[in-house]
Amino acid sequence: MASSSSASFVKKSYQYDVFLSFSGEDTRKNFVDHLYDALQRHDIHTFKDDERLKQGKSINEQLLKSIEESKLFIIVFSKKYASSSWCLNELVKIMECQKSNDQIAYPVFYDVDPSEVRKQHGPVGEALAKHTNIEMGKWIEALKEAANLSGWDLRNTADGHEAKVIKLIIEQISLELRPINVNHDDKFVGMEPRLQDLEKSLDIASNEVRMIGIKGMGGAGKTTLARALFDRISVHFEAKSFVENVREVSKALLSGLLLLQRKILSDLLDLLNGQGNNVGSVHDGKNMLKTKLCGRKVLVVLDDVDHQEQLEALAGDLNWFKPGSRIIITTRDEQVLIAHRVERIRDVSLLSHEEAIGLFSRHAFGKDLPIQEYEKESQQVVQYAAGLPLTIKVLGSFLCGKDKLEWGSALARLKRIPLKETLEKLELSYESLEDDYKEIFLDVACILKGWEKNKAISMLESCGFQARIGLRVLEQRSLITLHDYGIGPCLSMHDHIEEMGKNIVRRLHPDEPNKHSRLWIQEEIEDVLDTDLGSESTRCISLRRTPNIVLESLGNMKNLRCLIVDHHHMDNVCRYDLVKIDEVGQYFPNALRYLRWHSYPHGCLPKTFQANNLVELHMPNSIIEQLWVGGKVLKKLKSITLSRSKLKTLDLGLTPNLVSGLHLMEFQNIIMCHSNSNLQQLDFGGNDKENLPSSVGNLHKLVYLSFRSCGKLKSLPGSICSLQHLRVLDLGYSGIEEVPENFGQIDSLNRLDLRYCNIRDIPPSICKLKHLKYLNLDSCFGLEKLPENLGDLERLNRLSVTSTKIRDVPSSICKLKHLHYLRLSICSRLEKLPENLGELECLVELDIVGTPISHLPDSISSLKDLKIVGYERRIDPDAIQFQEQQHITFAPKRRRANTEATTSDAGDKVKERKMEDH
């Protein structure tokens, strides 16, 4: 995939693609002239005797040589063809080549019948009878053989329309000239499945106009793939144009776009020497493309596009093109395609390990597999390349012919010095970014790779960046990717892109890390701190605490905005005894906006740390008991994480702009006053408190509130009902026995988790929660009854009441028109369901595993997409047959009650996900 392909697939042993044999007297100025023109327009190199013969040469010798050096032959039989001994001698030679070589002849019966040529009857026989040549026997045999070949009878093909017959001829010749499979090329690996995927998206048979985008990082093989696809399918179009280097050409010259427009007009309409050359502006070019292209079915590839302006000038709209046309666009920036309303966008997948080994071996050894002596080193190269075709090709070509010691030296160099050719290619994507997006990219490459997306956004926003749109831009430009490892989307990027970002930070001062904007290499950080060389250049540091680390030099980093201190890899060392904390605080720069220190080893932050710019403070697993001795108002602080810490008191009045992320596990006194009205997230999970202060009701903007795993918490203060913006309340695994009577006043609540609580009764007021979408009552073992007015929860989407003592389901549940999932498994006392359950028109899953239910309501037959889990079918056979006829799916029992299965509308694969994730 790392090799470009030439425009012609003709083997080097042939000088011509096609040799035309015809009688000039009756076909040169009509059919043959049109056929030759079509062959030329499709870049099919064709020999035609009246234009290719050179002066002073023996015509017979030159003709014989031209026939031998042609891959294919087109023989145009006409009434006067057999009257020419010249034509008949050509035919004899053509038939000889057809038999002995891999050359192929195609007859075209212009105005004669194939049988007339085969039997020498009619006008063919009359023309042949004029000869008295002794070679008559050879001629007759050649005529018979040619007439028996597969070709085209003009009078009986396409209703005799010459233009349509010529199109069929061009298609067949083009197919014959291309390779059967691109994988047969020495340097193509992994191409075929990628081509097939793109061909499906293009759907050549469809008569609509289609634009398709091919997106991927630099060096991934977009151009190679587009070129191979272009060569494969171009035969199906009336005209074609492959426009290379759109980005480079359009920016390098003032008239770059105009030149590209002229190329398209030239390729598709043959207007370079006519109207196309008169196009004086991009605006004129747009108008001409729009008016001219609608008359021809064309294939256009626009390679390496990086701005919507380029697409507007070269392929402005689908209505520019004739039905059946296809436009293929390659780019690194997905947003360019989205903005141009390109609906079909395909990512270029990097090479698998097997494909990478194959490609590398072909470049390094000229074989499909590595030489055994170099197998280990080849594996190292492929691992370094991480599936990027450009790197594999460059390294394979570079190492070709070198001995084993030289291989070892080259691989060792790669560990210190990135491959220049790869970095230059990748850096084009970086250079096109806005300045703030460049900063975000460098933060990700050096610090944030592997972070959860939401946490990375929080860090970047605390440093003043518009992180959400920034990360989206980086993703669209193939600079980062998102992977879900079960904890939500995490930031990732290709190893070479990470390498490129780090190289950008280091290259101006490769041997002076104190002048780098970001520090992430532990040895360099320790050296900078030990030698007191910290400088104002440093913006971010991510370090690991080690014994005797000196942090004094932090004070010199006046512009440090992000400090991350971790405690990993500290065997047999108490994590609280690694630094002299009484001396550390005075070196915290006041420019800090994001401070994250796992296991902070002191009871409070130092007085000398002003923290005027601090936006986020994360100190989990620390021994901190209070933020500061005495009061300090932190106007910019928006998020605090002190989970599993020793915090005893916190006055939220000192953090008036605290918005989110207040995670507290152990506390004695939290002061919640009216002055703090911005806090949106509060997590008390895991603490052992029995009572909550009523002042929690003062946090009027609270959106998320968690008391998960608070086993001693029996009840909630009534003031919690005044939280009008609260959307999520997590009480799972707590000791809650009851909820306030006025609970229905929490009008915005859409998610309520009460699983594994000691609750016995659900107050009817809970059914006033008009926005509630998710209600989990799993394993509330004392719960015996659901509210009769359950149907008032009009937005409810999921209801889970597994492992409870309920005996029935209120009939009002049938009013829940948005309910998708109803889980009632392990309810051992539940024997029946409401008869009108079929009124739940959106229900897609009903889980009754482990219940004594023996009959399903007949009304559910109307629920065509319903999947029933755990139904034992303890009913009569007629009823079973009836229900199976109604498209109801009976799923097997689940092994785990806390796993939910969903299916797509098309009945695709079952996907499982834990309810805890919701």
Side-chain angles (χ1 to χ4, degrees), residues 41-54:
R41 282 191 284 106
H42 284 80
D43 296 327
I44 297 173
H45 193 200
T46 304
F47 180 91
K48 182 166 172 272
D49 67 348
D50 62 345
E51 293 185 13
R52 296 293 182 184
L53 294 180
K54 296 182 179 179

Side-chain angles (χ1 to χ4, degrees), residues 60-71:
N60 287 328
E61 291 179 5
Q62 187 159 353
L63 268 178
L64 291 175
K65 185 177 180 182
S66 298
I67 292 171
E68 292 171 352
E69 293 182 348
S70 297
K71 168 68 175 174

Side-chain angles (χ1 to χ4, degrees), residues 802-820:
T802 66
S803 301
T804 63
K805 295 179 180 180
I806 62 171
R807 295 178 180 275
D808 57 33
V809 177
S811 59
S812 67
I813 196 175
C814 302
K815 296 162 56 179
L816 300 178
K817 301 304 182 184
H818 296 283
L819 191 66
H820 283 69

Side-chain angles (χ1 to χ4, degrees), residues 257-433:
L257 280 177
L258 182 59
L259 291 176
L260 294 175
Q261 287 177 327
R262 289 175 176 172
K263 172 179 170 49
I264 294 175
L265 289 169
S266 172
D267 290 346
L268 302 183
L269 305 169
D270 298 323
L271 292 175
L272 184 60
N273 296 319
Q275 293 173 294
N277 204 34
N278 296 326
V279 177
S281 69
V282 172
H283 178 73
D284 292 343
K286 287 182 183 180
N287 289 335
M288 183 167 286
L289 287 168
K290 185 175 181 180
T291 56
K292 298 293 185 180
L293 294 184
C294 59
R296 305 187 80 175
K297 178 182 174 182
V298 300
L299 172 64
V300 179
V301 173
L302 303 176
D303 179 50
D304 194 17
V305 172
D306 72 340
H307 200 283
Q308 189 183 359
E309 176 189 50
Q310 298 156 3
L311 291 180
E312 290 174 348
L314 304 176
D317 201 288
L318 295 177
N319 62 21
W320 285 21
F321 301 91
K322 182 180 177 179
S325 295
R326 297 292 183 270
I327 302 89
I328 302 169
I329 304 160
T330 74
T331 183
R332 304 178 185 207
D333 188 355
E334 183 183 22
Q335 183 59 34
V336 172
L337 301 173
I338 294 173
H340 201 61
R341 304 294 190 271
V342 178
E343 296 181 358
R344 296 170 179 85
I345 301 175
R346 295 290 176 267
D347 279 294
V348 175
S349 57
L350 298 179
L351 297 181
S352 67
H353 181 79
E354 182 180 0
E355 291 169 339
I357 282 289
L359 180 62
F360 175 74
S361 298
R362 292 186 186 185
H363 282 278
F365 310 112
K367 300 180 178 181
D368 290 337
L369 294 172
I371 296 175
Q372 187 173 2
E373 181 184 357
Y374 290 87
E375 187 170 349
K376 179 180 178 181
E377 290 79 6
S378 297
Q379 295 288 349
Q380 291 175 347
V381 171
V382 168
Q383 184 177 3
Y384 170 79
L388 193 66
L390 172 64
T391 302
I392 295 168
K393 174 187 174 183
V394 171
L395 287 176
S397 300
F398 175 72
L399 293 170
C400 181
K402 292 183 170 58
D403 63 36
K404 202 164 185 178
L405 290 176
E406 292 169 334
W407 274 58
S409 177
L411 290 172
R413 182 179 184 273
L414 284 175
K415 295 179 180 179
R416 299 182 298 104
I417 305 172
L419 194 64
K420 181 179 179 181
E421 189 168 343
T422 299
L423 293 189
E424 288 177 348
K425 186 86 171 179
L426 295 176
E427 199 166 325
L428 293 172
S429 297
Y430 169 80
E431 292 297 341
S432 66
L433 294 172

Side-chain angles (χ1 to χ4, degrees), residues 500-562:
M500 179 261 290
K502 291 178 175 179
N503 182 64
I504 290 171
V505 171
R506 296 170 55 85
R507 64 188 176 193
L508 291 180
H509 307 283
D511 300 319
E512 299 176 277
N514 60 303
K515 294 183 179 180
H516 298 166
S517 62
R518 292 152 182 88
L519 295 174
W520 65 92
I521 300 174
Q522 185 71 17
E523 293 75 13
E524 291 184 350
I525 295 172
E526 292 182 5
D527 182 65
V528 169
L529 296 177
D530 288 346
T531 55
D532 196 21
L533 291 176
S535 73
E536 296 182 358
S537 299
T538 306
R539 300 290 189 273
C540 299
I541 297 181
S542 178
L543 64 90
R544 189 174 67 250
R545 291 203 345 265
T546 55
N548 302 316
I549 190 170
V550 178
L551 299 178
E552 182 177 352
S553 190
L554 287 174
N556 299 328
M557 301 178 183
K558 304 296 184 182
N559 294 317
L560 188 68
R561 56 177 167 82
C562 172

Side-chain angles (χ1 to χ4, degrees), residues 672 682-684 691-708 713-731 734 736 738-749 751-754 763 765-766 769:
M672 307 175 195
L682 183 57
D683 187 347
F684 285 111
N691 298 294
L692 291 177
S694 60
S695 57
V696 70
N698 295 333
L699 304 175
H700 298 299
K701 291 190 177 180
L702 210 58
V703 173
Y704 173 92
L705 181 59
S706 174
F707 298 101
R708 174 175 282 253
L713 187 64
K714 306 298 183 184
S715 62
L716 300 174
S719 61
I720 201 171
C721 300
S722 64
L723 299 177
Q724 295 300 303
H725 293 92
L726 190 65
R727 293 201 295 267
V728 178
L729 179 58
D730 187 352
L731 299 169
S734 70
I736 292 292
E738 59 180 1
V739 295
E741 282 295 326
N742 295 327
F743 201 76
Q745 294 180 4
I746 311 177
D747 188 59
S748 296
L749 197 67
R751 182 183 177 88
L752 176 60
D753 195 335
L754 289 163
S765 67
I766 203 172
L769 299 172

Side-chain angles (χ1 to χ4, degrees), residues 206-232:
S206 170
N207 199 39
E208 64 180 338
V209 178
R210 285 194 179 183
M211 285 189 185
I212 181 171
I214 302 176
K215 161 187 161 311
M217 61 185 286
K222 299 183 296 296
T223 300
T224 303
L225 186 59
R227 170 59 76 179
L229 183 64
F230 178 83
D231 289 333
R232 172 175 286 197

Side-chain angles (χ1 to χ4, degrees), residues 9-196:
F9 287 98
V10 180
K11 291 184 179 180
K12 293 181 180 179
S13 57
Y14 295 107
Q15 183 178 352
Y16 300 104
D17 295 342
V18 171
F19 181 97
L20 270 179
S21 178
F22 61 97
S23 167
E25 189 174 351
D26 53 356
T27 62
R28 174 181 286 117
K29 293 184 179 180
N30 42 58
F31 179 78
V32 168
D33 193 37
H34 296 150
L35 176 58
Y36 179 75
D37 179 65
L39 291 166
Q40 294 298 99
R41 282 191 284 106
H42 284 80
D43 296 327
I44 297 173
H45 193 200
T46 304
F47 180 91
K48 182 166 172 272
D49 67 348
D50 62 345
E51 293 185 13
R52 296 293 182 184
L53 294 180
K54 296 182 179 179
Q55 296 291 333
K57 296 267 184 164
S58 170
I59 190 166
N60 287 328
E61 291 179 5
Q62 187 159 353
L63 268 178
L64 291 175
K65 185 177 180 182
S66 298
I67 292 171
E68 292 171 352
E69 293 182 348
S70 297
K71 168 68 175 174
L72 306 173
F73 311 105
I74 299 177
I75 309 159
V76 182
F77 287 115
S78 59
K79 291 178 179 179
K80 295 186 179 181
Y81 184 90
S83 65
S84 168
S85 59
W86 199 282
C87 290
L88 293 171
N89 285 327
E90 282 181 0
L91 182 62
V92 171
K93 181 64 176 178
I94 288 172
M95 290 297 102
E96 290 177 0
C97 292
Q98 152 101 359
K99 292 178 183 177
S100 59
N101 301 320
D102 61 348
Q103 295 157 291
I104 303 173
Y106 292 98
V108 177
F109 303 96
Y110 177 62
D111 55 3
V112 293
D113 191 87
S115 64
E116 293 176 335
V117 177
R118 186 180 303 112
K119 299 177 181 179
Q120 299 87 51
H121 289 169
V124 177
E126 295 173 4
L128 193 62
K130 297 178 181 180
H131 298 286
T132 57
N133 197 301
I134 59 173
E135 296 181 341
M136 180 69 72
K138 289 183 178 181
W139 293 346
I140 292 174
E141 188 62 29
L143 287 169
K144 288 180 180 180
E145 291 176 2
N148 288 325
L149 296 174
S150 176
W152 298 271
D153 181 355
L154 187 63
R155 294 179 297 184
N156 296 314
T157 304
D159 293 328
H161 292 285
E162 288 190 11
K164 291 182 179 180
V165 174
I166 288 174
K167 181 181 178 182
L168 294 173
I169 295 172
I170 295 299
E171 288 182 359
Q172 181 60 39
I173 297 299
S174 298
L175 286 172
E176 199 61 51
L177 290 174
R178 79 175 191 183
I180 297 174
N181 189 318
V182 293
N183 281 328
H184 292 176
D185 187 280
D186 288 342
K187 299 300 191 309
F188 282 116
V189 176
M191 181 71 76
E192 186 63 27
R194 291 162 175 83
L195 282 176
Q196 291 176 2

